Amino acid sequence: MWPCSDPKRDPILAYKKFAVERPPKTCTPESPFYLGIDHNINAKYWFTTQPMGKNTINSLLKTMCQNAGIDDEEHRLTNHSARKTMVKKLKESHIPDTDIIQV
């Protein structure tokens, strides 16, 4: 990832905020990346210690498109198509394959 001059769009700052909002025992290399959301308004962290479910993960892109007002019916956006597009853009930007393979 690269830093960005706009803090609202900086992926590194976003990840750091994400990491701070995880319960401490879920910050190990063995912990799942996607965690369940804690909907309790008084919760200390944004996430629970439970991994996010497979169906929820599979619907993330569709939910993001709906919330952003993007019509995904016309383009058939999927998690795979987003990854494929990202890999294509990274290759066009001459990012080394050894870095791209980690995506």
Side-chain angles (χ1 to χ4, degrees):
M1 287 283 156
W2 303 257
C4 176
S5 59
D6 181 359
K8 292 182 179 179
R9 298 179 56 90
D10 188 328
I12 295 170
L13 290 178
Y15 177 77
K16 286 180 178 178
K17 179 64 176 171
F18 167 79
V20 167
E21 297 298 338
R22 294 171 65 97
K25 71 180 191 177
T26 63
C27 295
T28 66
E30 298 81 28
S31 299
F33 183 77
Y34 292 105
L35 297 173
I37 298 168
D38 193 335
H39 296 283
N40 181 350
I41 196 133
N42 298 320
K44 187 172 180 181
Y45 301 104
W46 290 354
F47 304 98
T48 67
T49 57
Q50 298 296 315
M52 185 177 282
K54 181 176 91 171
N55 293 336
T56 303
I57 291 172
N58 288 339
S59 67
L60 282 176
L61 185 64
K62 184 175 185 77
T63 302
M64 288 188 291
C65 288
Q66 288 171 345
N67 291 344
I70 298 170
D71 180 20
D72 68 335
E73 295 299 322
E74 181 180 328
H75 299 290
R76 178 114 167 74
L77 300 174
T78 64
N79 295 338
H80 176 74
S81 66
R83 182 177 185 275
K84 182 178 177 183
T85 300
M86 183 173 59
V87 168
K88 179 181 171 189
K89 295 292 185 185
L90 291 171
K91 283 187 173 284
E92 289 171 357
S93 298
H94 308 291
I95 303 301
D97 288 345
T98 53
D99 292 341
I100 294 173
I101 202 166
Q102 296 176 31
V103 174

